[in-house]
Every structure is written in structure tokens, then in C-alpha cells.
């Protein structure tokens, strides 16, 4: 009987992990970053390569009020728009990872924001190195998918599409 293959738990390293975002408004580009990411990656790395059997799992979350653009007034309006008091966290869960080329994988997952979960597909680069796993991915998220109406005020408007880049470093626990 073959030995059972088990995933190991890797814990997100808050100080080394970031989520960057950018979108456009009628006045200027909006750039920002989220900090205090937490979560885990359950995965099996064999000889520096991510195994797909057993299937890897990943969960990442962060407080909405850790989204910051550098403009305090703009940030407070963003937190209000995202209803941070009622739904204080944004969560992402990996549901499926399929082989791609090299360290690149096709991924399906779920993002939960404002109390609504939506499925997204994209590409992740996953690198196993010693006791660390690094996950790097980009995605375009439409805030209307979560019931959010992009803000408009007089001639000022914000685009509904937000480009998101996740750089996640997780260490073997």
C-alpha cells in the first residue's frame, strides 16, 4: 500500500506579504496597498516543486481598513463604500489549482467582500523554496460583482475595475 501523501501547513508571513491595487478615476489614478494579510497555504512541495496531489488549499484575509492609498480622506470613503463596519474582512480562498507551465498554474477561487462571495479564475505563480512558499498573482476585480456602485460626485467618477496583485509569502509552521 502506498504511503499517504499529506500537505504541510504554511502560515502567511504578514510582514513579507502584500496586496497592491490600482484603478482609475476621472481625475487621477488610484494606487494603494493592503497590509496585515493573514492566512495559510496547505501544500505538498517535492524537490522544490508544488505537487497537485493532494490538492493545495489557500486562505488569505485582511481587514478592509488596512487598504490604504496614502490619502486619508479617500481611504475613509473607500472603507465606507466597502461597508467595513458590517463586513470588516476581505477573504480569498483557492478552490482549484491546475498545472500550467513551470511554476505557473491556472487557479479558481472565491473572493468574499461586502458579504458576497464571487468566483474568479486566474493564474498564480507558486515557488517552493526551503521552508517557504511564495504565491504571486494578478487579477482584475469588478466591484460591481459585489453589489458596489462605483462612486460618482459631480464630474468625479471611479472606474469599477480594480487591478489587484497578491504577493504572498508563507512559511512552514
Amino acid at each position: 500500500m502506498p504511503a499517504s501523501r499529506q500537505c504541510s501547513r504554511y502560515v502567511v508571513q504578514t510582514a513579507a506579504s502584500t496586496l497592491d491595487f490600482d484603478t482609475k478615476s476621472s481625475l487621477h489614478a488610484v494606487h494603494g496597498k493592503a497590509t496585515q494579510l493573514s492566512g495559510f497555504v496547505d501544500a505538498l512541495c517535492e524537490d522544490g516543486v508544488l505537487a497537485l496531489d493532494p490538492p493545495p488549499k489557500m486562505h488569505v484575509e485582511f481587514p478592509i481598513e488596512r487598504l490604504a492609498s496614502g490619502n486619508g480622506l479617500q481611504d475613509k470613503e473607500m472603507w465606507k463604500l466597502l461597508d467595513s463596519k458590517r463586513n470588516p474582512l476581505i477573504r480569498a480562498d483557492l478552490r482549484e489549482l491546475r498545472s500550467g507551465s513551470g511554476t505557473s498554474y491556472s487557479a479558481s477561487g472565491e473572493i468574499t467582500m461586502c458579504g458576497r462571495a464571487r468566483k474568479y479564475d486566474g493564474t498564480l505563480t507558486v515557488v517552493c523554496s526551503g521552508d517557504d512558499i511564495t504565491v504571486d498573482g494578478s487579477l482584475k476585480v469588478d466591484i460591481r460583482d459585489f453589489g458596489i456602485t462605483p462612486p460618482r460626485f459631480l464630474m468625479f467618477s471611479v472606474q469599477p475595475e480594480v487591478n489587484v496583485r497578491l504577493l504572498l509569502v508563507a512559511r512552514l509552521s
Side-chain angles (χ1 to χ4, degrees):
M1 177 171 259
S4 173
R5 296 162 45 100
Q6 293 187 339
C7 290
S8 296
R9 169 116 337 158
Y10 295 80
V11 177
V12 171
Q13 301 300 290
T14 301
S17 300
T18 58
L19 182 135
D20 295 301
F21 67 90
D22 64 79
T23 191
K24 295 178 183 171
S25 77
S26 54
L27 297 177
H28 54 77
V30 178
H31 304 283
K33 181 176 284 208
T35 58
Q36 291 189 356
L37 278 66
S38 62
F40 63 86
V41 178
D42 288 340
L44 175 63
C45 290
E46 297 178 313
D47 301 320
V49 177
L50 179 69
L52 296 178
D53 180 30
K57 295 179 183 158
M58 182 173 75
H59 173 82
V60 180
E61 64 183 43
F62 61 91
I64 287 174
E65 293 187 0
R66 296 307 298 184
L67 285 168
S69 67
N71 178 324
L73 181 59
Q74 184 174 282
D75 293 345
K76 286 181 183 178
E77 287 302 314
M78 175 175 47
W79 301 339
K80 186 175 165 184
L81 181 70
L82 297 177
D83 199 9
S84 67
K85 297 301 179 204
R86 260 189 350 166
N87 299 289
L89 297 175
I90 294 176
R91 296 178 183 91
D93 291 285
L94 178 67
R95 298 292 184 219
E96 183 180 9
L97 199 62
R98 298 169 301 284
S99 61
S101 61
T103 59
S104 183
Y105 300 86
S106 296
S108 295
E110 194 172 83
I111 297 172
T112 303
M113 182 168 58
C114 300
R116 294 183 180 193
R118 296 294 180 258
K119 182 180 183 245
Y120 281 89
D121 296 312
T123 303
L124 293 175
T125 300
V126 182
V127 176
C128 299
S129 177
D131 287 344
D132 291 344
I133 288 183
T134 302
V135 179
D136 190 351
S138 298
L139 187 64
K140 185 174 282 197
V141 175
D142 189 324
I143 63 173
R144 296 172 296 191
D145 291 344
F146 300 92
I148 301 168
T149 302
R152 291 186 176 281
F153 181 73
L154 299 174
M155 297 186 314
F156 176 77
S157 64
V158 175
Q159 295 297 312
E161 296 89 14
V162 179
N163 296 307
V164 178
R165 177 170 181 244
L166 174 69
L167 178 59
L168 189 78
V169 178
R171 179 155 295 144
L172 190 62
S173 62

